[in-house]
Amino acid sequence: MSTSSKSSPVSYDTVRDVFLWRRKKLSLLVLLVSTATWVSLDVYQFNLITVASWAAMFAVTSLFLYGNIARFLRKEEPDLSGLEISEQTAIEAARSVRQSIEEGVRWMCHVSAERELFLFARVVAALWLLSYVGSFWDSLSLLYIDIVVGMTVPVIYVKNEDKIKRYEEWMRMQARRLCDMVDEKVVKRMKNRVLKVKEKRVD
């Protein structure tokens, strides 16, 4: 097995740890950066180029001060090799994005080909609800809401997984019972009426 295949799951573990708040400092940093970006662009109506320029100026200034102070105190160049992005890291990031896209396409094909009516109806209802909610907010606000929801819902689900699974099973049973009721009272009656009409025509 190649080195990239061994190290690629690390990125998924990191993302999962961030969303499940297992790395609290990194999770808090992601939430703070997302909040600051949303407040700057959506609330204060700053331009994206302006915010990016300010962030770049802050980074360049910080590195400049750090380098000069380090040379003044230690009389040696600071080691910035840790800031480099290796080719292997870039390849792993591209592979992770490709795998995520493939998983999404595979999931859509699975839902489309699935014969379970409850699963199909749940997916269609969720997509319709998403399209309805999306008409009230812009893309930036939706992205920020997705990040906040993504960092709160998984934690709640993990802590209450048993209760959620029991409630989901109860909902599935109720949905199947409703489908059976509709099939018995509506579909069968329609079939009987069609058969009666056919018999009258034959007579």
Side-chain angles (χ1 to χ4, degrees):
M1 184 180 294
S2 62
T3 306
S4 60
S5 62
K6 289 182 179 180
S7 58
S8 57
V10 176
S11 59
Y12 291 106
D13 293 340
T14 303
V15 173
R16 186 175 65 247
D17 291 344
V18 168
F19 280 98
L20 293 178
W21 288 84
R22 293 173 181 169
R23 300 187 180 184
K24 295 184 178 180
K25 292 182 179 180
L26 188 57
S27 301
L28 184 61
L29 178 63
V30 171
L31 190 60
L32 289 177
V33 170
S34 303
T35 304
T37 304
W38 178 76
V39 169
S40 301
L41 298 179
D42 196 74
V43 177
Y44 290 102
Q45 298 295 321
F46 286 122
N47 192 284
L48 178 61
I49 298 178
T50 303
V51 176
S53 300
W54 287 352
M57 284 190 295
F58 176 77
V60 170
T61 305
S62 300
L63 290 174
F64 176 78
L65 293 175
Y66 171 76
N68 282 275
I69 292 174
R71 279 193 296 269
F72 178 75
L73 296 177
R74 304 174 189 171
K75 297 182 180 180
E76 61 182 9
E77 293 289 334
D79 185 14
L80 301 178
S81 60
L83 299 177
E84 297 179 356
I85 300 177
S86 63
E87 183 179 358
Q88 186 68 26
T89 303
I91 293 175
E92 291 176 4
R95 185 180 294 111
S96 300
V97 173
R98 180 179 59 83
Q99 290 176 353
S100 300
I101 295 174
E102 289 179 352
E103 286 293 330
V105 173
R106 194 177 298 114
W107 176 79
M108 286 191 295
C109 294
H110 171 72
V111 171
S112 302
E114 186 70 32
R115 293 184 177 180
E116 189 175 353
L117 179 62
F118 181 72
L119 176 63
F120 176 75
R122 184 173 59 180
V123 172
V124 172
L127 292 175
W128 176 83
L129 181 62
L130 180 62
S131 65
Y132 179 75
V133 171
S135 62
F136 293 97
W137 288 288
D138 57 326
S139 301
L140 182 63
S141 298
L142 278 178
L143 180 61
Y144 176 68
I145 292 172
D146 290 341
I147 293 175
V148 174
V149 171
M151 298 187 69
T152 53
V153 173
V155 178
I156 297 174
Y157 179 81
V158 169
K159 290 184 178 180
N160 304 280
E161 186 175 0
D162 295 334
K163 295 180 180 178
I164 294 174
K165 285 184 177 180
R166 286 198 298 267
Y167 181 74
E168 185 179 355
E169 185 65 26
W170 180 82
M171 287 290 295
R172 186 180 290 109
M173 292 174 59
Q174 295 296 324
R176 289 177 178 173
R177 188 177 302 173
L178 180 62
C179 291
D180 294 338
M181 187 184 304
V182 171
D183 182 63
E184 183 179 356
K185 292 185 176 180
V186 178
V187 178
K188 289 184 178 180
R189 287 183 181 180
M190 293 291 292
K191 290 181 179 179
N192 293 332
R193 289 181 181 180
V194 171
L195 290 175
K196 289 180 180 179
V197 170
K198 288 182 178 180
E199 289 177 357
K200 289 181 179 179
R201 289 181 180 178
V202 171
D203 295 338

